[in-house]
């Protein structure tokens, strides 16, 4: 199974004890029906992202029953993007597919992905044909985010494609050569290029447990996405500053002319207050944006490892 592994399924898990066994069962069922994988040329690689419950025991049990199951386990919670990176680093397959353990990425799509891969595509991403399983606010904010991202960034990310996608070994190796600490995977795939295609699927509701992403986490994730793929938010302040300065100049000329023509009648306090507050607000905002980028430069220069592994399961099978 080491070098002749064709397909690696990588599965980040955080507190998902009830989800592990059903996942392995459903996925194995699908994979066994794919002729070239039938002889066992696949692996299911869990990345335990610092779970506090019995997730690791569930994985150990699954490994005892099925040697295709392997795992790396983190020393604490490092986040899904770090877990995905660990998965890519430890996967042995010629093709790699990240999947959520909650069965929201239907395994039944895998045969179609493999077919497209065999036809020569290097990235086959799953696109949600409907997001009926997501709440309305989540759908709206997701939509808004994709628009904002693709407007601001040169690396256009495919709309409504999650992390569920098949990656050829070439793509995996390219991703692993990217040294950045802020790992916004969707943007990295977009930047890497390669021959891409998509397969549609409808996203079911979570099989068990509850989502690990609240709105604050998603907002932070969105900020990471934009700041790691675009410098437009930095540049926009030069233009805005230029515009305000131009306006101020015109206003100064207007006041000068008016004073010469009509004398000085001590003009209003309101306009003064408004412009002071407005400019103060703009300056704080632009400082904040600068701070976002500086903070990220700090994490990049510290160059800490992306994750720490406490233990591995099945590494020498
Ligand atoms: N996950 C993870 N680390 C985290 C949060 C989530 O590895 O810090 C995993 C989680 O166990 C699941 C996947 O990422 O397998 C997707 O999480 P979830 O289903 O909660 O996200 P949603 O589908 O709501 O976007
Ligand atoms: Mg989910």
């Amino acid at each position: 199974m080491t070098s002749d592994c064709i397909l690696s399924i990588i599965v980040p898990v955080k507190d998902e004890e009830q989800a592990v066994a059903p996942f392995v069962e459903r996925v194995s069922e699908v994979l066994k029906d794919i002729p070239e994988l039938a002889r066992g040329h696949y692996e299911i690689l869990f990345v335990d992202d610092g779970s506090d419950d019995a997730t690791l025991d569930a994985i150990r049990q699954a490994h005892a029953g099925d040697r295709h199951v392997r795992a790396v386990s983190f020393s604490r919670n490092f986040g899904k993007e770090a877990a995905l990176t660990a998965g890519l680093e430890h996967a042995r397959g010629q093709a790699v597919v990240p999947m959520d353990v909650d069965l929201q990425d239907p395994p039944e799509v895998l045969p179609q992905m493999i077919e497209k891969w065999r036809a020569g595509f290097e990235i086959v991403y799953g696109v949600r044909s409907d997001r009926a399983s997501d709440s309305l606010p989540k759908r709206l904010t997701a939509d808004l985010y994709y628009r904002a991202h693709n407007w601001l960034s040169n690396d256009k990310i495919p709309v409504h494609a999650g992390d569920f996608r098949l990656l050829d070994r070439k793509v995996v190796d390219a991703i692993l050569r990217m040294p950045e600490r802020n790992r916004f995977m969707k943007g990295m795939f977009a930047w890497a290029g390669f021959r891409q295609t998509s397969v549609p699927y409808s996203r079911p509701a979570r099989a068990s447990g509850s989502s690990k992403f609240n709105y604050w986490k998603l907002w932070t994730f969105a900020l990471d996405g934009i700041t790691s793929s675009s410098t437009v938010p930095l540049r926009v302040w030069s233009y805005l500053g230029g515009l305000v300065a131009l306006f101020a100049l015109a206003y100064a000329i207007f006041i000068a002319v008016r004073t010469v023509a009509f004398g000085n009648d001590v003009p209003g306090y309101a306009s003064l207050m408004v412009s002071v507050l407005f400019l103060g607000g703009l300056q704080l905002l632009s400082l904040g944006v600068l701070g976002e980028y500086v903070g990220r430069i700090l994490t990049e220069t510290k160059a800490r490892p992306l994750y720490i592994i406490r233990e591995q399961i099945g590494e020498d099978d």
Side-chain angles (χ1 to χ4, degrees):
M1 202 169 70
T2 34
S3 61
D4 55 2
C5 179
I6 295 174
L7 181 71
S8 298
I9 307 285
I10 57 178
V11 200
V13 281
K14 161 87 175 107
D15 297 344
E16 306 272 11
E17 53 186 6
Q18 333 90 313
V20 170
F23 178 85
V24 172
E25 191 181 321
R26 270 274 294 281
V27 170
S28 311
E29 218 146 80
V30 172
L31 295 184
K32 278 185 187 116
D33 286 341
I34 300 173
E36 52 188 315
L37 300 178
R39 274 179 300 140
H41 298 318
Y42 68 89
E43 62 179 3
I44 301 175
L45 173 62
F46 285 99
V47 182
D48 169 31
D49 186 10
S51 296
D52 296 315
D53 64 359
T55 300
L56 197 57
D57 294 332
I59 297 173
R60 230 179 250 122
Q61 236 169 45
H63 171 73
D66 181 350
R67 293 282 147 172
H68 296 109
V69 175
R70 294 171 54 214
V72 294
S73 177
F74 287 175
S75 60
R76 64 166 172 87
N77 181 243
F78 282 92
K80 189 182 175 189
E81 304 291 294
L84 284 176
T85 305
L88 293 180
E89 265 167 19
H90 289 83
R92 299 163 173 166
Q94 285 310 305
V96 177
V97 182
M99 286 176 81
D100 287 357
V101 75
D102 54 14
L103 292 169
Q104 284 195 291
D105 303 328
E108 289 70 28
V109 184
L110 288 170
Q112 295 170 40
M113 287 182 160
I114 292 174
E115 213 167 278
K116 300 249 174 166
W117 175 50
R118 287 309 187 195
F121 290 102
E122 289 142 332
I123 300 184
V124 187
Y125 48 86
V127 172
R128 298 166 203 178
S129 51
D130 73 280
R131 296 185 66 125
S133 62
D134 287 333
S135 66
L136 185 68
K138 180 144 181 192
R139 284 208 297 272
L140 288 179
T141 46
D143 210 56
L144 200 71
Y145 175 70
Y146 283 114
R147 270 169 215 266
H149 183 105
N150 286 342
W151 183 61
L152 289 172
S153 168
N154 289 327
D155 313 331
K156 309 289 178 218
I157 55 178
V159 175
H160 299 310
D163 292 314
F164 184 34
R165 57 182 80 210
L166 182 144
L167 307 164
D168 185 80
R169 175 50 52 188
K170 283 192 259 292
V171 182
V172 175
D173 291 342
I175 298 291
L176 292 179
R177 278 177 52 214
M178 300 183 194
E180 61 245 59
R181 307 291 103 187
N182 289 303
R183 297 189 83 78
F184 182 68
M185 288 285 180
K186 293 180 196 194
M188 292 163 75
F189 292 133
W191 183 87
F194 290 104
R195 278 194 292 275
Q196 314 197 353
T197 188
S198 63
V199 290
Y201 72 100
S202 80
R203 193 166 170 81
R206 225 175 194 281
S208 63
S210 59
S211 174
K212 307 290 177 295
F213 289 91
N214 54 31
Y215 280 102
W216 183 250
K217 256 194 172 175
L218 286 173
W219 165 250
T220 312
F221 186 56
L223 281 187
D224 276 342
I226 287 176
T227 49
S228 67
S229 355
S230 169
T231 51
V232 173
L234 282 175
R235 224 174 313 141
V236 76
W237 302 105
S238 334
Y239 295 109
L240 209 65
L243 220 68
V244 171
L246 222 68
F247 173 78
L249 187 73
Y251 193 55
I253 293 171
F254 165 75
I255 289 177
V257 169
R258 199 182 55 174
T259 312
V260 168
F262 304 107
N264 189 353
D265 58 0
V266 188
Y269 152 87
S271 59
L272 207 67
M273 204 57 200
V274 166
S275 53
V276 165
L277 286 179
F278 176 70
L279 286 179
L282 271 190
Q283 282 164 2
L284 282 181
L285 198 66
S286 65
L287 268 181
V289 172
L290 273 180
E292 286 290 329
Y293 281 86
V294 173
R296 280 170 177 79
I297 296 172
L298 178 69
T299 47
E300 296 295 335
T301 50
K302 277 202 282 187
R304 295 247 171 105
L306 280 169
Y307 55 83
I308 310 278
I309 291 178
R310 180 191 289 123
E311 65 172 298
Q312 299 196 33
I313 296 173
E315 80 246 58
D316 20 68
D317 284 325

